[in-house]
């Protein structure tokens, strides 16, 4: 009896984990309404299948918003509806960004689909001719070829020969193909060359993160166990009622809001859920709110602060020295200038933490390993470590907080004393010549720390979508 | 564990599991030293969770966290990102956990697989149950350079392995049908040639493969935020390994010590001092070892249990030695050659002269060469005795700062040879000064054996990294050199030659 109980608890856990790792399951409930992207996309593709016309569509949206998954669902449906008149070619910009491998992959997939013999040694020209010929043949046979170009923006680098060949072949009356581009860059169509753009039908579908209500619906959809023979009835009922209670809990909603304020895409939510579910207690077999709290704290980390917490005292001294140098507006510093500063700190505070130069050098190298500081040049081995200029990768506030949070730091007082008169430097950011992620840290360094990470995260996602560039 | 399972498997699968999950951890474990539990491993017994936790002091929460994330048998997993400073037990804990769980994994370290092709081929070889031997010319299972080929091959290989596992798990329970790919030292990927394409590829591998039976684990010594790039990816789930606390370090160092009491009393006096400098266990253990030997020296019987009095005596002795070592500055096993001392490496006399002249050429401004080497070894010039004005002092300071920033200067070969010739003639034949000329290329074989094969010596010094050979100067076209040795080393070398180096050093 007991093992049976254990078994069904494990089974419940496994079911939840499988659901989360299977993106198709996740996106089903979000896209059943008639004006959803799912129905729009399905309509567009199925009409071009039935009416035997060419089409090209871009699916745009931030990372993790389910573009590929929705497309997969659509294709799956279409395969059921028109099993004989669709053939699919999948390319990924990460893998097939150069034309040679892209055409090779297309030829390979066409050969697989139509049970032809694929020649690995075929040249680029052979492959592209083969593709055009196959498109023609498929058109004559009333078979729609669906090209899925994942990471579409990467295909738009270089000469765009693949896109041109594809779209040009679609201009002919015999061919019957759909080109679907998936990209997280909202300006993906602006990247196209003129000759490509003019052949492209500018249909775009924008994928947005789910709304708060949708998120709630999604959570319930993922976390409730199915009623049926697979689980004991009472267990499933109790499990579901507990989940319901957790989801209505105010504190959980708060945590969830905090999590989603970083990034409200579905994938991001799933990471959180995965963490929470994996902490489920198998003894009781039920989820609890604490699971979600643990997940939140384990996902949202402050890596730089953790790094500072890991430093030894000597390493902290070096960091503080570098910060002091930065405060003195010394634009460049290297190990020797840091050592000079270290000596002056030692002279003015009379602590007994004065170590030999080579010991400090080792600590300095540790800091480089920890990526709290980095070299500003990339000249490599032309100079020894001592002479290469370095810069700090943490903001003053981070260092200050790190020192505050440093446990068992017996000399925190002198360090902080030596530190405190440059913590609140106004207009700190003006001295930054280039905007970098680090500078961005600094600009917002005076804000509350949590928000720094939020801002950085946000900044990063803006970068992905190329709203801003380096 | 694998030996038990082996008999039940078809031959090919045994190899895979043996190579995938047992041979790799073995090799790994041996190199990690005191942290490991290789006694248990050699026996091949499965490790209980308690044993695992007790063998990694201070790591139980991390072990539990990974265990939770890995989940029960056959449960799919999102990619994990295990990170933390060096020597915090990331790799060994992950590998030992897999030993405990008895699940197959493909381990590849990005340090040994130092580029994209080698990484791809090593993963595929492991998955394809390929063993390199003489019959196949020690080649990998597949040649695979492009990411597109890799993903295709990987998918085929993984399906194959998973099918094998599924067949196997029908007969034998406990293996499951998940395969885990572990990428160790992942931070190194950022420095590869094609890091901008390979990083997003590996991070997106889970989405690209779309195989729920495949788990990905990245082990890195830097945090996930150092991997941000222009290309995005859905971040893996972070698992953080903090550095050990002082208490943990004490426990770790105490493991495998024959005389626990003595060692703990030693640690009590020594550890806190060292922990202020570094908290990395591997460095601490190497640094403490010679010190412990010193500590034990007065004791005849190493098995003795220390009493209070003895502890005090040992402590005072230790403090003395510590002060000594502190002065020498070598108590933190620095690999730098300065500490090796003057007698620890051998060099020919002419190489020493060459080294010194390179040091001088790097250190002194070229304009002063004439005055330094001209008459009588350039006796101190009188200018400096004048009292320096404010402005000059200020200038001096900025110059000094500049020197600190710039490091040693570079010099052409001609200047090096000229200085070398001067030095040699001063040291060897002080009487034929009239032969010295300012043009350095006047090596006419007049001054004996030391001038022979100078270029050969120079190239060997370059190879030994004492002199750095830079790129050719775009204007002059000649090769420029730079000496990388510190002043201490130069002084030591000079002392061994009884050469008055300080006389020739220009002090600002």
């Amino acid at each position: 009896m007991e093992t049976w109980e254990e078994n069904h608890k494990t089974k419940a856990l496994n079911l939840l984990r499988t659901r989360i790792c299977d993106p198709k399951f996740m996106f089903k409930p979000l896209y059943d309404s008639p004006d959803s992207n799912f129905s729009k996309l399905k309509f567009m593709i199925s009409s071009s299948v039935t009416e035997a016309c060419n089409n090209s569509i871009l699916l745009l949206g931030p990372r993790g918003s389910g573009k590929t998954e929705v497309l997969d669902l659509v294709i799956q449906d279409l395969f059921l509806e028109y099993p004989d008149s669709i053939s699919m070619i999948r390319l990924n910009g990460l893998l097939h960004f150069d034309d040679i491998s892209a055409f090779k992959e297309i030829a390979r997939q066409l050969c697989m689909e139509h049970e032809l013999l694929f020649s690995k040694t075929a040249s680029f020209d052979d492959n592209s001719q083969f593709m055009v010929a196959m498109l023609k043949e498929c058109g004559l046979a009333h078979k729609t070829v669906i090209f899925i170009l994942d990471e579409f923006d990467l295909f738009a680098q270089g000469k765009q020969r693949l896109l041109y060949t594809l779209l040009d072949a679609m201009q002919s009356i015999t061919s019957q193909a759909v080109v679907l581009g998936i990209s997280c860059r909202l300006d993906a169509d602006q990247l196209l060359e003129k000759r490509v753009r003019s052949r492209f039908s500018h249909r775009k579908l924008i994928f947005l993160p789910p709304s708060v209500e949708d998120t709630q619906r999604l959570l319930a959809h993922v976390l409730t166990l199915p009623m049926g023979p697979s689980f004991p009835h009472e267990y499933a009922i109790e499990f579901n009622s507990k989940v319901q209670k957790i989801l209505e809990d105010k504190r959980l909603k708060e945590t969830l809001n905090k999590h989603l304020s970083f990034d409200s895409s579905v994938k991001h939510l799933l990471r959180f859920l995965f963490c929470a579910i994996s902490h489920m207690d198998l003894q009781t077999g039920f989820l609890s709110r604490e699971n979600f709290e643990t997940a939140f704290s384990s996902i949202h980390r402050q890596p730089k602060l953790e790094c500072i917490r890991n430093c030894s005292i000597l390493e902290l001294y070096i960091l503080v020295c570098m910060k002091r140098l930065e405060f003195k507006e010394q634009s460049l510093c290297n190990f020797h200038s840091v050592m000079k500063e270290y000596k002056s700190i030692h002279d003015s505070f009379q602590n007994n933490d004065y170590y030999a130069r080579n010991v400090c050098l080792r600590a300095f190298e540790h800091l480089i390993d920890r990526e709290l500081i980095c070299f500003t040049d990339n000249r490599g081995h032309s100079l020894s470590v001592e002479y290469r200029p370095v810069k700090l990768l943490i903001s003053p506030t981070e260092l200050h907080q790190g020192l505050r949070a440093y446990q068992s730091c017996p000399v925190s007082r002198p360090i902080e004393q030596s530190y405190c008169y440059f913590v609140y430097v106004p207009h700190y950011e003006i001295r930054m010549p280039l905007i970098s992620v680090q500078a961005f840290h600094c600009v917002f360094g005076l804000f509350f720390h949590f928000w720094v990470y939020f801002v950085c995260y946000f900044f990063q996602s803006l970068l992905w979508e190329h709203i801003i560039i380096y | 564990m694998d030996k038990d399972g082996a008999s039940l498997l078809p031959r090919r699968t045994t190899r895979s599991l043996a190579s995938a999950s047992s041979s790799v951890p073995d090799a790994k474990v041996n190199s990690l030293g005191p942290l490991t539990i290789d006694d248990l491993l050699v026996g091949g017994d499965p490790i209980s969770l308690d044993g695992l936790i007790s063998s990694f002091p201070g790591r139980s929460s991390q072990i539990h966290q990974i265990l939770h994330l890995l989940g029960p048998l056959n449960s799919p997993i999102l990619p994990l990102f295990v990170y933390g400073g060096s020597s915090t037990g990331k790799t060994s804990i992950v590998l030992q956990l897999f030993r405990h769980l008895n699940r197959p994994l493909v381990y590849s370290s990005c340090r040994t697989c130092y580029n994209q092709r080698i990484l791809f081929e090593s993963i595929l070889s492991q998955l394809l149950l390929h063993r390199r031997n003489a019959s196949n010319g020690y080649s990998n299972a597949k040649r695979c350079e492009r990411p597109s080929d890799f993903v295709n091959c990987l998918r085929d290989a993984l399906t194959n392995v998973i099918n094998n596992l599924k067949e196997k798990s029908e007969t034998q329970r406990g293996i499951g049908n998940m395969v885990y790919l572990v990428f160790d030292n992942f931070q190194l990927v950022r420095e590869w040639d094609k890091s901008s394409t390979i990083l997003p590829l590996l991070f997106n591998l889970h989405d690209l493969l779309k195989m729920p039976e495949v788990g990905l684990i990245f082990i890195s010594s830097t945090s996930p935020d150092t991997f941000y790039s222009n290309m995005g990816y859905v971040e893996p789930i972070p698992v953080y390994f903090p550095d050990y606390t002082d208490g943990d370090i004490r426990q770790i160092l105490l493991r495998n010590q024959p005389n626990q009491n003595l060692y703990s009393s030693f640690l009590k006096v020594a550890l806190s001092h060292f922990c202020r400098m570094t908290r990395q266990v591997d460095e601490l253990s190497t640094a403490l070892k010679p010190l412990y030997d010193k500590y034990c020296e007065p004791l005849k019987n190493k098995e003795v249990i220390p009493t209070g009095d003895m502890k005090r005596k040992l402590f005072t002795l230790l403090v003395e030695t510590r002060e000594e070592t502190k002065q020498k500055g070598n108590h933190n096993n620095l690999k730098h050659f300065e500490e090796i001392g003057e007698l620890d490496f051998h060099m020919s006399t002419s190489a020493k002269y060459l080294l010194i002249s390179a040091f001088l050429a790097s250190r002194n401004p070229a304009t002063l060469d004439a005055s330094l080497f001209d008459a009588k070894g350039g006796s101190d010039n009188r200018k400096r005795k004048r009292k320096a004005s404010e402005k000059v002092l200020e200038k001096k300071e900025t110059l000094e700062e500049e020197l600190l920033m710039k490091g040693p200067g570079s010099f052409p070969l001609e200047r090096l040879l000229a200085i070398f010739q001067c030095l040699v003639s001063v040291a060897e034949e002080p009487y034929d000064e009239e032969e010295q000329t300012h043009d350095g290329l006047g090596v006419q074989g007049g001054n004996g054996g030391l001038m022979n094969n100078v270029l050969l010596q120079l190239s060997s010094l370059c190879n030994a990294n004492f002199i750095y050979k830079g790129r050719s100067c775009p204007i002059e076209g000649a090769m420029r050199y730079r000496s990388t040795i510190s002043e201490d080393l130069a002084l030591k070398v000079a002392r061994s030659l009884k050469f008055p180096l300080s006389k020739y050093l220009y002090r600002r």
Side-chain angles (χ1 to χ4, degrees), chain B residues 23 41 96 165 169 228 239 282 304 318 328 444 449 466 487:
Chain B
S23 67
L41 278 180
Q96 294 303 321
L165 281 171
S169 56
Y228 283 159
V239 179
D282 50 353
V304 77
L318 188 68
K328 269 196 274 172
Q444 270 121 22
F466 284 126
E487 194 171 338

Side-chain angles (χ1 to χ4, degrees), chain B residues 291 294-295 316-326:
Chain B
L291 205 58
K294 246 289 123 57
Y295 185 77
T316 47
L317 272 174
L318 188 68
V319 167
E320 279 163 28
T321 49
R322 198 167 71 181
E323 289 306 315
E324 263 171 48
T325 44
K326 207 173 177 183

Side-chain angles (χ1 to χ4, degrees), chain A residues 257-371:
Chain A
N257 269 342
K258 243 193 258 170
H259 178 76
L260 292 178
S261 63
F262 279 82
D263 180 354
S264 52
S265 67
V266 178
K267 283 271 175 68
H268 191 65
L269 178 71
L270 287 186
R271 278 174 73 212
F272 175 60
L273 282 187
F274 182 83
C275 254
I277 284 170
S278 63
H279 284 101
M280 184 171 110
D281 188 8
L282 277 180
Q283 296 291 316
T284 59
F286 298 113
L287 281 169
S288 67
R289 203 179 51 79
E290 283 73 39
N291 296 150
F292 289 88
E293 302 291 342
T294 334
F296 182 79
S297 60
S298 74
I299 281 191
H300 294 282
R301 301 209 153 269
Q302 298 176 333
K304 291 292 180 212
L305 278 187
E306 284 166 352
C307 262
I308 295 177
R309 218 165 295 151
N310 280 340
C311 284
S312 65
I313 308 238
L314 179 58
E315 285 160 10
L316 284 186
Y317 265 110
I318 291 177
L319 282 182
V320 167
C321 288
M322 288 189 65
K323 201 81 238 170
R324 279 168 64 106
L325 286 178
E326 207 168 78
F327 173 64
K328 287 179 183 168
E329 308 218 347
Q330 196 164 324
S331 54
L332 273 176
C333 64
N334 62 11
F335 177 67
H336 287 293
S337 48
V338 172
M339 275 300 98
K340 227 172 109 189
E341 188 65 29
Y342 179 55
K343 194 164 182 320
S344 77
I345 285 193
H346 172 68
D347 290 344
S348 51
F349 291 98
Q350 290 304 330
N351 46 28
N352 50 8
D353 281 292
Y354 192 70
Y355 296 104
R357 203 178 182 81
N358 40 25
V359 179
C360 294
L361 184 61
R362 181 42 86 86
F364 190 73
E365 281 167 352
H366 283 172
L367 286 178
I368 291 171
D369 285 345
R370 289 185 202 276
E371 311 230 339

Side-chain angles (χ1 to χ4, degrees), chain A residues 113-349:
Chain A
E113 191 103 351
H114 300 278
E115 285 159 2
L116 299 168
L117 199 65
F118 170 62
S119 156
K120 268 186 184 170
T121 52
S123 68
F124 172 75
D125 202 36
D126 292 341
N127 281 335
S128 73
Q129 276 176 12
F130 173 73
M131 186 195 80
V132 175
M134 280 303 287
L135 275 181
K136 204 174 267 172
E137 288 298 315
C138 285
L140 289 175
H142 289 295
K143 196 162 186 180
T144 306
V145 186
I146 300 179
F147 288 93
I148 299 176
L149 307 180
D150 212 337
E151 312 285 348
F152 183 77
D153 47 315
L154 294 180
F155 287 103
Q157 290 169 351
K159 296 215 164 154
Q160 310 186 352
R161 210 172 321 163
L162 171 78
L163 292 177
Y164 177 71
T165 324
L166 262 182
L167 294 168
D168 195 48
M170 285 165 57
Q171 301 295 311
S172 70
I173 216 142
T174 46
S175 74
Q176 193 179 336
V178 180
V179 173
L180 292 159
I182 303 177
S183 173
C184 60
R185 280 185 72 162
L186 295 178
D187 63 340
D189 57 330
Q190 300 301 312
L191 298 170
L192 299 176
E193 272 174 31
K194 194 167 155 260
R195 58 171 188 165
V196 181
R197 205 185 305 162
S198 60
R199 286 169 171 80
F200 188 80
S201 66
H202 287 263
R203 286 194 186 82
K204 286 191 257 182
L205 277 181
I206 307 288
F207 284 73
L208 292 174
S211 62
V212 180
E213 295 80 45
D214 280 345
T215 311
Q216 282 290 332
R217 213 147 54 87
L218 193 72
L219 282 177
H221 170 70
V222 174
L223 294 179
T224 45
L225 289 183
M227 295 306 207
S230 49
F231 296 103
H233 192 65
E234 310 88 70
Y235 175 70
I237 285 180
E238 197 178 349
F239 189 93
N240 289 346
S241 69
K242 287 217 171 179
V243 165
Q244 195 62 36
K245 225 165 99 190
I246 292 169
L247 290 183
E248 277 159 16
D249 194 321
K250 250 207 185 108
R251 281 169 295 178
L252 179 85
K253 276 186 181 160
E254 227 167 73
T255 320
L256 207 61
N257 269 342
K258 243 193 258 170
H259 178 76
L260 292 178
S261 63
F262 279 82
D263 180 354
S264 52
S265 67
V266 178
K267 283 271 175 68
H268 191 65
L269 178 71
L270 287 186
R271 278 174 73 212
F272 175 60
L273 282 187
F274 182 83
C275 254
I277 284 170
S278 63
H279 284 101
M280 184 171 110
D281 188 8
L282 277 180
Q283 296 291 316
T284 59
F286 298 113
L287 281 169
S288 67
R289 203 179 51 79
E290 283 73 39
N291 296 150
F292 289 88
E293 302 291 342
T294 334
F296 182 79
S297 60
S298 74
I299 281 191
H300 294 282
R301 301 209 153 269
Q302 298 176 333
K304 291 292 180 212
L305 278 187
E306 284 166 352
C307 262
I308 295 177
R309 218 165 295 151
N310 280 340
C311 284
S312 65
I313 308 238
L314 179 58
E315 285 160 10
L316 284 186
Y317 265 110
I318 291 177
L319 282 182
V320 167
C321 288
M322 288 189 65
K323 201 81 238 170
R324 279 168 64 106
L325 286 178
E326 207 168 78
F327 173 64
K328 287 179 183 168
E329 308 218 347
Q330 196 164 324
S331 54
L332 273 176
C333 64
N334 62 11
F335 177 67
H336 287 293
S337 48
V338 172
M339 275 300 98
K340 227 172 109 189
E341 188 65 29
Y342 179 55
K343 194 164 182 320
S344 77
I345 285 193
H346 172 68
D347 290 344
S348 51
F349 291 98

Side-chain angles (χ1 to χ4, degrees), chain A residues 10 13-14 17-18 20-21 63-64 68-69 72 90 92 94-98 100-101 104-105 108 150-151 153-154 267-268 270-271 274-275 278-280 282 298-304 306-307 309-315 317 330 332-334 336-337 340 352-359 361-363 365-366 369-371 379 381-384 386-387 389 406 408 410-411 441 453 456-457 460 463-466 470, chain B residues 64-65 67-78 80 83-86 142 146-149 151-152 155 187 190-191 196-197 200-201 204 206-208 210 212 221-226 228-246 273 275-280 283 326 328-336 338-339 363 397 400-401 403-408 465 468 471 482 484 486:
Chain A
T10 323
L13 180 58
N14 262 358
R17 287 171 69 113
T18 317
I20 288 175
C21 294
R63 239 163 237 292
T68 322
E69 285 72 22
D72 281 347
R90 270 182 179 279
N92 191 305
L94 281 171
L95 306 176
H96 314 108
F97 47 88
D98 59 329
I100 298 172
S101 61
K104 200 172 152 190
E105 181 67 19
R108 194 187 69 88
D150 212 337
E151 312 285 348
D153 47 315
L154 294 180
K267 283 271 175 68
H268 191 65
L270 287 186
R271 278 174 73 212
F274 182 83
C275 254
S278 63
H279 284 101
M280 184 171 110
L282 277 180
S298 74
I299 281 191
H300 294 282
R301 301 209 153 269
Q302 298 176 333
K304 291 292 180 212
E306 284 166 352
C307 262
R309 218 165 295 151
N310 280 340
C311 284
S312 65
I313 308 238
L314 179 58
E315 285 160 10
Y317 265 110
Q330 196 164 324
L332 273 176
C333 64
N334 62 11
H336 287 293
S337 48
K340 227 172 109 189
N352 50 8
D353 281 292
Y354 192 70
Y355 296 104
R357 203 178 182 81
N358 40 25
V359 179
L361 184 61
R362 181 42 86 86
E365 281 167 352
H366 283 172
D369 285 345
R370 289 185 202 276
E371 311 230 339
R379 280 193 292 171
H381 308 291
S382 72
L383 278 174
S384 49
E386 300 136 74
Y387 288 109
Y406 196 88
S408 72
V411 288
H441 259 228
Y453 278 92
C456 267
Y457 195 92
Q460 196 58 42
L463 265 180
W464 298 342
E465 286 152 35
H466 290 251
Y470 279 119
Chain B
H64 279 297
Q65 195 187 354
L67 208 57
H68 277 305
L69 288 170
L70 288 173
L73 209 60
N74 293 339
S75 58
I77 182 173
L78 293 179
L80 293 188
Y83 73 101
S86 52
K142 273 212 168 122
R146 292 168 187 277
S148 53
D149 297 341
V151 172
N152 286 336
R155 197 175 280 135
Q187 77 278 3
R190 291 174 305 163
E191 280 139 41
S196 57
T197 57
L201 169 72
N204 281 319
H206 193 253
D207 291 338
L208 283 174
K210 294 210 170 83
S221 68
T222 57
S223 52
D225 64 327
T226 56
Y228 283 159
S229 66
N230 264 344
M231 267 295 300
Y233 47 85
V234 176
E235 271 185 60
I237 293 171
V239 179
Y240 175 58
F241 279 61
D243 275 18
Y244 290 110
T245 60
D246 293 7
H273 182 73
C275 276
R276 293 172 83 89
M277 288 181 278
T278 177
R279 301 242 299 269
Q280 295 188 7
E283 285 190 354
K326 207 173 177 183
K328 269 196 274 172
N330 63 353
H331 51 327
N332 198 1
N333 76 314
L334 277 168
K335 56 177 185 262
H336 281 260
E338 288 103 288
E339 282 103 66
R363 191 52 69 90
E397 221 161 71
E400 211 169 284
E401 216 131 77
L403 184 77
L404 269 186
M405 281 316 297
K406 264 203 310 212
N465 219 4
Y468 172 76
R471 263 167 290 157
R482 189 195 294 274
T484 54
S486 67

Side-chain angles (χ1 to χ4, degrees), chain B residues 318-389:
Chain B
L318 188 68
V319 167
E320 279 163 28
T321 49
R322 198 167 71 181
E323 289 306 315
E324 263 171 48
T325 44
K326 207 173 177 183
Q327 276 155 19
K328 269 196 274 172
N330 63 353
H331 51 327
N332 198 1
N333 76 314
L334 277 168
K335 56 177 185 262
H336 281 260
F337 42 76
E338 288 103 288
E339 282 103 66
I340 301 170
E342 44 196 305
L343 295 172
D344 273 10
F345 64 94
H346 182 75
M347 232 189 223
S348 68
T349 316
S350 71
K352 279 179 183 170
Y353 274 115
L354 198 60
L355 195 62
I356 292 175
S357 45
F359 175 71
L360 283 177
S362 263
R363 191 52 69 90
N364 291 347
T367 46
L368 281 176
D369 279 0
S371 64
L372 278 177
F373 295 108
D374 203 0
K376 276 284 162 200
S379 60
D380 216 354
N381 39 356
R382 284 121 269 137
K383 265 192 233 158
R384 236 180 298 164
K385 297 207 170 92
R386 252 190 303 165
K387 207 180 169 205
S389 69

Side-chain angles (χ1 to χ4, degrees), chain A residues 108, chain B residues 12-13 16 106 120-130 141-142 144 149-166 177-179 181 209 211 213-214:
Chain A
R108 194 187 69 88
Chain B
R12 268 166 61 87
T13 329
S16 93
V106 173
F120 290 167
E121 286 176 1
S122 112
I123 294 174
L124 288 176
S125 297
Q126 291 186 49
L127 278 172
L128 289 169
L129 326 172
H130 174 86
K142 273 212 168 122
C144 164
D149 297 341
F150 170 65
V151 172
N152 286 336
C153 295
L154 184 67
R155 197 175 280 135
D156 293 345
L158 280 171
T159 356
N160 206 359
V161 168
I162 290 164
N163 286 339
N164 273 354
L165 281 171
K166 273 182 183 155
N177 50 18
M178 290 284 295
V179 179
L181 305 183
L209 287 172
M211 296 172 102
E213 293 93 351
V214 180

